Amino acid sequence: MKKSLTKRAEADTIKSWCSTILKTGEKLRKISEKKKKRIERTIANDRSYKVFLYNRFFIFLILVLLQIIGYVWLLYTLVYSSKIAMAVEATVGLLALIAVIYLINRNDRPSMKLNWILLMLIVPIVGVPMYLLYGEGRPAHKIKKQLAASGKENAAAFDSSFGGVKQKNAQTRADTISRFLHRYAGCPAAYDGDVVYYDCGEKMFESMKAELKKAEKFILLEYFILSHGKMWSEILQILLEKAEEGVQIRIIYDDFGCMTSLPPKYDRYLESLHENVKAMRFNKVVPFFAVRMNNRDHRKMLVVDGKTAFTGGINIADEYIGEKQRFGHWKDTGIMVSGNAVASFVRMFFHFWNAFYKEKEDLVAYLPPLNGGESGAVIQPYDSSPLDNLSVGENVYVDMIERAKSYVYIFTPYLVLGDSLRAALCRAALRGVDVRIVTPGVPDKKTVYRLTRANYGILLKAGVKIYEYTRGFIHAKSVLCDGESAVVGTINFDYRSFYHHFENAVYFSSCQAVKDLERDCEETFAISTLCTKENTKRSMVGRIVDSLLRVFETLL
């Protein structure tokens, strides 16, 4: 009861505070009173308005379902109840054959190609359209064109500023991954600054607030999920206080990721709060099948004045800081980066901003001045995109696993493996490397959880140790190699992260954060359940269901 009254008081304070800001008049963009009231109900945590949000999601599902029904009816009419049935069937069969030949000659992982080939040969009338919509995994032409133009402009500006940081020659096997990230992905390494590791969202949230309060020039936020509650309310309050001081605020959120947590046109509402606040929805949700809806901005970053940057698995929602329990204890990881490496976060942010926001900005104006010294650390932020010809995220993981000599520790919420990752994990274990993976004990998506567990058998047989985080759900995406180097970011061990989503991460070595991640791994192993053949045994029906699900794993 006390907690409820505290929340209500907090909500009333925020609502009153937002209303005061809205009265400043000339500085604000206009928004209809009806929309403003709806959004303020969300800020006040009004449960009746949440029904509206969920209805928005269900309306989306209903419209998509109607399209599926319409498509099935059309196919039935053409194939079974039409005079041109044979012609349609022959055309679809020919398209399926062409698509199969095309797939065989593509440089993709064999299991992915096999899944699509099976679907197209067994049910060509469904498989062919599905592959045309989702099989390539590449964004729609308009998105590609916008990102290409923005990337080209930003690269020139970034190189003119960051080009002063000379990249070191690879001295060890571990250094070659830095060379790959620089040469192929265009993501340079920095040798100054530091990385601070956080083993939970609660600790990182406190540091985020402390850094936000120090802002003097600009704040950049980009998140897959923004959800109203304690975390976002406190951050938003600081943002608006800073906007009053003249700090420029830029916000990007994924519209699909926020479908059940934010109302439509929430970006306009944010911009109405202050003239120094600009916001953008990435890939606006449309209630019909579209290629672009398969690509989402799964990146997570907060940049303050070009001096510090935060990233990891932590979104802006209360479950990430322990204020809300959805699947038991929510285990996550994150990092704070300082030094020249922060410039790479600024570049990544404005790659999206200048591609899709109506008003372009000068990247150079936001890039921090270069530091001349060295700290001994190697810090290399990078992004992974469906525009890449090969998955940068997957290749970094495979490289770290294949060069491990003693051990490799992995945190991941999903374990839907392709051929190269599965083979790399098995080979590492077979040559004596201590390979340990921690997955959730309490799932957030039951179908993906079944696929995750379906991968256990072959890995356990090769000697990989798999733990399930029995306290709840582990959302962290972290890899540690030999206590020397590590990756923390947003990239899951699944097909969607590697080939459909826009992601980001940081590769780092020779700093205290590597040791802190190792300590966290050891502590997490101690409170997790070690999986064995006995406690992960599946029934015959379960094995059949898992086998069928794996046909569709590239879509999940």
Side-chain angles (χ1 to χ4, degrees):
M1 186 68 172
K2 186 178 178 181
K3 188 174 180 181
S4 176
L5 289 171
T6 304
K7 278 193 169 183
R8 190 177 301 170
E10 178 187 81
D12 290 339
T13 302
I14 295 167
K15 184 176 179 180
S16 172
W17 178 66
C18 288
S19 297
T20 302
I21 291 174
L22 285 169
K23 290 176 184 176
T24 56
E26 293 181 355
K27 292 184 178 180
L28 310 180
R29 276 183 70 190
K30 289 185 178 180
I31 190 170
S32 72
E33 281 298 314
K34 187 177 180 180
K35 285 191 176 75
K36 191 177 82 174
K37 285 180 180 178
R38 283 177 176 172
I39 293 167
E40 286 177 348
R41 285 184 200 170
T42 304
I43 295 172
N45 203 25
D46 189 298
R47 299 182 74 180
S48 65
Y49 185 65
K50 286 192 172 183
V51 173
F52 170 81
L53 287 178
Y54 291 124
N55 283 348
R56 180 192 175 207
F57 179 66
F58 287 124
I59 288 168
F60 172 83
L61 289 181
I62 289 168
L63 290 173
V64 170
L65 182 61
L66 287 174
Q67 290 171 69
I68 294 172
I69 293 170
Y71 177 68
V72 171
W73 176 82
L74 181 62
L75 289 179
Y76 177 81
T77 303
L78 289 174
V79 177
Y80 297 105
S81 305
S82 170
K83 294 179 181 179
I84 59 169
M86 290 184 64
V88 172
E89 198 169 351
T91 302
V92 172
L94 180 62
L95 287 173
L97 179 61
I98 294 170
V100 167
I101 295 170
Y102 171 73
L103 260 174
I104 290 171
N105 287 278
R106 273 182 62 84
N107 186 29
D108 280 323
R109 58 176 185 152
S111 60
M112 186 278 289
K113 292 195 284 189
L114 183 60
N115 290 348
W116 281 113
I117 288 170
L118 279 172
L119 190 59
M120 285 190 285
L121 291 181
I122 295 172
V123 196
I125 204 76
V126 173
V128 173
M130 288 292 287
Y131 180 75
L132 292 174
L133 280 171
Y134 300 114
E136 291 289 317
R138 302 286 184 261
H141 177 71
K142 184 179 178 182
I143 292 178
K144 287 193 286 186
K145 187 177 179 180
Q146 290 171 305
L147 283 171
S150 173
K152 189 176 180 180
E153 291 176 9
N154 285 354
F158 184 76
D159 290 342
S160 67
S161 177
F162 203 89
V165 179
K166 186 178 179 181
Q167 299 298 289
K168 295 181 179 180
N169 294 324
Q171 301 294 324
T172 65
R173 173 70 178 83
D175 292 337
T176 58
I177 196 167
S178 286
R179 186 167 58 187
F180 163 75
L181 286 172
H182 182 228
R183 289 184 177 179
Y184 178 79
C187 303
Y191 306 103
D192 69 318
D194 197 13
V195 178
V196 178
Y197 176 78
Y198 301 97
D199 59 13
C200 65
E202 294 91 322
K203 294 177 183 177
M204 183 162 145
F205 180 43
E206 293 305 315
S207 292
M208 288 167 70
K209 289 189 292 183
E211 291 299 313
L212 284 169
K213 290 175 182 177
K214 298 177 187 176
E216 297 176 348
K217 297 177 181 178
F218 66 88
I219 297 170
L220 312 175
L221 294 96
E222 182 177 349
Y223 283 91
F224 180 60
I225 295 174
L226 289 181
S227 181
H228 274 286
K230 176 183 170 63
M231 190 176 188
W232 176 234
S233 294
E234 292 188 18
I235 288 175
L236 183 58
Q237 182 172 350
I238 298 171
L239 293 180
L240 293 175
E241 288 171 356
K242 287 297 172 181
E244 276 293 304
E245 296 172 12
V247 175
Q248 295 298 311
I249 314 295
R250 302 292 180 265
I251 302 169
I252 300 175
Y253 64 89
D254 186 84
D255 201 32
F256 190 93
C258 297
M259 190 187 294
T260 61
S261 61
L262 296 180
K265 300 181 180 179
Y266 186 72
D267 52 335
R268 285 183 57 194
Y269 173 76
L270 289 173
E271 293 191 349
S272 77
L273 296 177
H274 201 283
E275 62 181 357
N276 290 332
V277 177
K278 304 295 181 188
M280 181 186 82
R281 289 180 285 164
F282 174 78
N283 211 0
K284 296 174 185 176
V285 171
V286 290
F288 53 83
F289 285 115
V291 175
R292 69 179 179 85
M293 292 309 299
N294 207 31
N295 305 116
R296 296 158 201 165
D297 182 6
H298 197 244
R299 308 193 304 184
K300 303 163 185 68
M301 63 181 85
L302 166 64
V303 184
V304 180
D305 285 344
K307 295 178 181 179
T308 55
F310 293 85
T311 192
I314 299 161
N315 281 296
I316 308 296
D318 280 0
E319 55 264 38
Y320 294 87
I321 59 170
E323 286 293 314
K324 181 193 294 183
Q325 287 210 349
R326 295 178 61 198
F327 311 105
H329 179 262
W330 192 287
K331 165 70 177 170
D332 221 320
T333 61
I335 54 174
M336 180 178 72
V337 174
S338 58
N340 289 332
V342 179
S344 290
F345 283 95
V346 176
R347 176 191 63 82
M348 285 188 278
F349 182 91
F350 281 103
H351 183 198
F352 268 36
W353 186 266
N354 287 340
F356 305 114
Y357 194 73
K358 55 186 178 294
E359 298 170 9
K360 313 303 178 190
E361 304 219 31
D362 182 10
L363 173 63
V364 175
Y366 289 87
L367 288 173
L370 288 177
N371 298 318
E374 292 188 7
S375 63
V378 177
I379 309 170
Q380 199 160 11
Y382 62 94
D383 53 353
S384 186
S385 160
L387 292 171
D388 299 330
N389 291 322
L390 56 82
S391 170
V392 173
E394 184 178 33
N395 273 270
V396 170
Y397 285 165
V398 169
D399 185 88
M400 293 181 75
I401 294 164
E402 289 190 333
R403 68 174 160 82
K405 295 178 181 178
S406 301
Y407 58 90
V408 59
Y409 298 158
I410 298 166
F411 289 165
T412 180
Y414 315 118
L415 195 66
V416 184
L417 301 174
D419 308 285
S420 56
L421 259 178
R422 187 184 295 109
L425 289 165
C426 290
R427 283 196 300 266
L430 289 170
R431 68 173 185 267
V433 175
D434 182 11
V435 182
R436 303 189 191 187
I437 304 172
V438 182
T439 62
V442 180
D444 68 331
K445 301 179 181 72
K446 291 186 179 180
T447 303
V448 181
Y449 181 64
R450 286 203 68 96
L451 280 172
T452 292
R453 297 193 109 219
N455 277 284
Y456 287 3
I458 190 170
L459 296 177
L460 292 173
K461 190 175 181 181
V464 175
K465 296 174 184 174
I466 301 174
Y467 295 80
E468 289 187 340
Y469 184 67
T470 46
R471 289 184 63 194
F473 181 66
I474 185 166
H475 188 255
K477 308 98 168 41
S478 308
V479 178
L480 173 71
C481 178
D482 289 337
E484 298 174 352
S485 58
V487 165
V488 173
T490 71
I491 309 171
N492 296 316
F493 276 68
D494 65 8
Y495 187 86
R496 181 161 287 282
S497 263
F498 294 145
Y499 295 99
H500 290 306
H501 286 173
F502 294 92
E503 306 276 3
N504 75 279
V506 179
Y507 173 78
F508 54 95
S509 61
S510 305
C511 55
Q512 181 59 39
V514 176
K515 302 300 179 186
D516 292 338
L517 173 56
E518 183 171 12
R519 172 192 50 76
D520 186 27
C521 288
E522 296 289 355
E523 291 175 357
T524 304
F525 298 148
I527 59 173
S528 300
T529 301
L530 180 63
C531 295
T532 63
K533 185 179 178 181
E534 288 69 31
N535 64 18
T536 58
K537 189 177 291 185
R538 295 171 294 164
S539 66
M540 183 179 291
V541 174
R543 290 196 297 272
I544 292 171
V545 170
D546 292 345
S547 299
L548 291 172
L549 283 175
R550 291 195 63 182
V551 175
F552 302 98
E553 66 182 359
T554 56
L555 296 174
L556 299 174

